[in-house]
Amino acid sequence: MSSYKIIKDIGIIGLSQVLSSLGSFLLLPIITKNLGSYDYGIWAQISITVSLLSPVAVLGLSMGIIRFLSGEQDIQRIRETFYSVLCIVFSAGVIISTMLYFVSDILAQTIFGDPNASYFIKCGSFLVLLLAVDQIALFYFRIFQKITTFSILTILKSIGHLIVTIFLLYLGFGLLSIIISLILIQSALFIFSMYFIISDIGFSLPKFQGIEEILRYSLPLTPNSVIRWVTDSSDRYMVTYFMGLSAAGIYSASYGIGNLINFIIIPIQFILFPELSRLYNQGKHTEAAVYINRSLKYFLYAAIPATFGLSFLSTPLLVTITTPEFASGSNSIPFIAVSGLLAGVFQILINITHLVKRTKFNLFIQIFAASLNVVLNIMLIPSFGIVGAAIATFASYLLMVIICAQVSFKYLRPDIDWVFISKCVLSSIIMCSFLFFLNSDDLFSLVRNVTLGALIYIVSTLVLNSFNKEEQTMFKLAFEKIKQKV
């Protein structure tokens, strides 16, 4: 894949993620100001429960089809593999959604601490199935680099969820507004995705031919999603247990802001793994290492200033887009933001173990980090509250990155540019130094400061000559081609 194609695809996905994250960002104040911390805490618990169970329904097959179909040209094999995987995931989704529906009373009483939450859990149980099949459908566009289609669907999903939620809140549906909106939008997303897929490869009933090899690769990855959930989301359960649903709502709002870093890695990872699989399958291991190095470099170029900015503006951000009731969560945002940066580094490096098919290592590192996260949450939340939960997440991700780097670099070692990273940190400090003298008391001043901060950071990195001449030439050529296409 040419540098022009890589930059163009990452740019398209990046733009779609910016618009999608803007939709999510706008939805946060609407929900928190209409529901309050308690009801928002219930929704946060339902959301993380669904985020635990939907990857289980996927059975690791999303990564499996990427690994085995990347570069595949045989339409018949693509069609057979895709529909076989979709059928398996659909069946697993139905089973898990049904189980969640029938255990909702127990969950509401024990984990949520509110029997009245059972009704909302029952409604939300259908999301497990919808999120699982949607993931497989969307991964089709990822595998075959149909970036524009994927981006349009992603943007429409975010905008649709925002509009429908606002409309239902206006009609007085309360907490149900979010759940009903997601069910409607995810259903529409699946229908549109399947329309494009069937138009592309046709349709046939699956015969499950050759699915055994994909299952052998994918099934060991299934526990990873559960264990990764423990690291990412179990702290919300523990905050609820130790501090109640209101505290969980406050922490979830803070987590949503700090975790905006995650949107930076999505466009990179979207392009990265399919391309790495293609290069590695063709025996181009050196090119794969260079590709990982560049991906890590460009991710850090955006993630480092974002981490500094979110940390520096944490209090005005939280107060402005929510209510004063949520202000106590601002101290946790810096730890969550750094955790998001570390999570992005981990996602890039862990691709190496997928390439060499060492998926059992993934399970080991996830178990180790998740266990540490649980222990630290139990130790820190009673003493430090939601800040303790954020510290536990940070410590877990730091450990994951260290161990992952030590193991992955034995197989494929990218050349990490520490001088470049130092320049990004210095430029971020310069950016925050300017922002220190500016007020951030309202939404307008926040938008102004974020825009100004981004400009200061970019200028600082250019003055420090952060990119070498080869990269500067590559960017210029790529952008010239994009301008010609436009």
Side-chain angles (χ1 to χ4, degrees):
M1 185 184 290
S2 66
S3 297
Y4 156 69
K5 182 70 165 60
I6 293 169
I7 294 173
K8 186 188 78 170
D9 288 349
I10 290 178
I12 293 173
I13 295 296
L15 178 61
S16 71
Q17 289 303 315
V18 168
L19 294 174
S20 297
S21 59
L22 179 61
S24 301
F25 189 75
L26 293 174
L27 191 60
L28 179 61
I30 293 170
I31 294 174
T32 53
K33 291 179 180 181
N34 277 275
L35 299 183
S37 62
Y38 190 85
D39 280 355
Y40 186 73
I42 294 177
W43 163 242
Q45 296 296 83
I46 294 173
S47 179
I48 63 172
T49 302
V50 171
S51 72
L52 164 65
L53 297 177
S54 55
V56 175
V58 173
L59 300 173
L61 287 166
S62 55
M63 295 299 292
I65 58 174
I66 289 181
R67 185 66 182 84
F68 286 90
L69 289 185
S70 292
E72 180 61 53
Q73 301 295 323
D74 187 342
I75 294 294
Q76 184 176 350
R77 183 170 186 269
I78 293 171
R79 183 167 55 241
E80 168 61 24
T81 301
F82 175 79
Y83 289 120
S84 296
V85 167
L86 183 62
C87 185
I88 292 171
V89 171
F90 180 85
S91 302
V94 169
I95 293 171
I96 295 174
S97 289
T98 304
M99 291 174 61
L100 177 59
Y101 183 91
F102 284 110
V103 301
S104 58
D105 291 340
I106 299 173
L107 288 177
Q109 184 68 44
T110 56
I111 296 179
F112 285 62
D114 183 355
N116 295 323
S118 175
Y119 174 71
F120 300 108
I121 300 173
K122 283 183 169 68
C123 296
S125 63
F126 299 102
L127 289 171
V128 175
L129 168 63
L130 290 172
L131 289 174
V133 295
D134 278 345
Q135 182 174 342
I136 296 299
L138 287 176
F139 266 53
Y140 172 86
F141 304 113
R142 178 178 176 184
I143 295 168
F144 298 105
Q145 301 296 307
K146 297 181 181 297
I147 306 303
T148 303
T149 303
F150 174 87
S151 300
I152 291 172
L153 290 172
T154 302
I155 293 170
L156 290 177
K157 171 189 171 183
S158 179
I159 295 174
H161 181 38
L162 176 64
I163 293 173
V164 175
T165 300
I166 294 173
F167 177 70
L168 293 175
L169 282 170
Y170 175 77
L171 293 179
F173 280 84
L175 179 55
L176 273 180
S177 302
I178 314 173
I179 300 173
I180 295 173
S181 173
L182 267 180
I183 291 174
L184 293 174
I185 297 303
Q186 293 292 157
S187 299
L189 178 66
F190 181 70
I191 292 170
F192 282 118
S193 297
M194 291 307 300
Y195 171 79
F196 288 117
I197 293 170
I198 292 172
S199 299
D200 199 22
I201 62 173
F203 177 78
S204 65
L205 293 175
K207 300 177 182 177
F208 304 100
Q209 294 176 350
I211 199 67
E212 297 85 358
E213 184 181 9
I214 298 178
L215 285 171
R216 280 196 298 270
Y217 173 87
S218 302
L219 287 178
L221 298 175
T222 305
N224 289 357
S225 61
V226 178
I227 300 164
R228 176 72 177 271
W229 175 89
V230 175
T231 306
D232 288 346
S233 305
S234 65
D235 49 2
R236 258 61 60 86
Y237 275 153
M238 295 191 183
V239 168
T240 302
Y241 176 79
F242 286 110
M243 303 180 66
L245 282 170
S246 292
I250 293 171
Y251 181 64
S252 295
S254 304
Y255 199 97
I257 293 174
N259 202 42
L260 287 172
I261 301 292
N262 183 57
F263 287 102
I264 299 173
I265 190 60
I266 292 175
I268 296 174
Q269 181 68 356
F270 186 94
I271 305 298
L272 181 59
F273 187 58
E275 182 64 10
L276 285 177
S277 297
R278 184 186 68 81
L279 291 172
Y280 200 83
N281 290 342
Q282 294 174 355
K284 300 177 181 179
H285 298 177
T286 301
E287 290 184 33
V290 171
Y291 201 90
I292 291 173
N293 181 54
R294 285 182 175 174
S295 299
L296 183 62
K297 186 174 184 177
Y298 302 150
F299 166 71
L300 291 174
Y301 181 74
I304 290 174
T307 301
F308 272 85
L310 287 171
S311 301
F312 187 80
L313 298 172
S314 58
T315 300
L317 266 172
L318 193 58
V319 172
T320 301
I321 67 173
T322 59
T323 65
E325 182 183 11
F326 290 81
S328 59
S330 61
N331 291 334
S332 63
I333 290 179
F335 295 101
I336 297 168
V338 176
S339 299
L341 184 149
L342 293 171
V345 173
F346 174 79
Q347 287 187 54
I348 292 173
L349 297 182
I350 201 66
N351 284 305
I352 297 173
T353 62
H354 286 288
L355 294 177
V356 298
K357 299 180 181 179
R358 302 292 182 183
T359 53
K360 290 183 180 178
F361 164 72
N362 297 4
L363 180 60
F364 163 76
I365 189 173
Q366 299 280 8
I367 290 175
F368 196 68
S371 300
L372 175 65
N373 184 266
V374 170
V375 171
L376 289 177
N377 271 302
I378 294 172
M379 292 173 58
L380 296 176
I381 291 176
S383 300
F384 299 99
I386 60 177
V387 175
I391 293 173
T393 300
F394 161 73
S396 300
Y397 271 110
L398 180 61
L399 178 68
M400 289 171 69
V401 169
I402 292 172
I403 297 176
C404 183
Q406 289 181 339
V407 174
S408 299
F409 289 175
K410 293 179 181 179
Y411 302 101
L412 208 65
R413 188 178 185 90
D415 183 19
I416 299 176
D417 191 343
W418 293 106
V419 174
F420 172 82
I421 294 174
S422 300
K423 290 179 179 180
C424 290
V425 172
L426 177 58
S427 298
S428 299
I429 294 173
I430 294 172
M431 174 189 74
C432 290
S433 298
F434 277 92
L435 294 179
F436 178 79
F437 297 99
L438 300 176
N439 293 323
S440 302
D441 299 330
D442 52 47
L443 184 59
F444 174 78
S445 61
L446 271 175
V447 173
R448 178 202 64 195
N449 293 349
V450 169
T451 304
L452 181 60
L455 291 174
I456 292 171
Y457 172 77
I458 292 171
V459 171
S460 298
T461 56
L462 292 176
V463 171
L464 292 172
N465 200 25
S466 300
F467 294 100
N468 58 42
K469 292 183 179 179
E470 179 185 352
E471 289 171 323
Q472 292 174 16
T473 302
M474 182 186 72
F475 290 142
K476 289 178 182 178
L477 291 174
F479 286 124
E480 283 297 323
K481 288 186 177 180
I482 293 173
K483 285 170 61 178
Q484 291 173 7
K485 291 283 184 179
V486 175

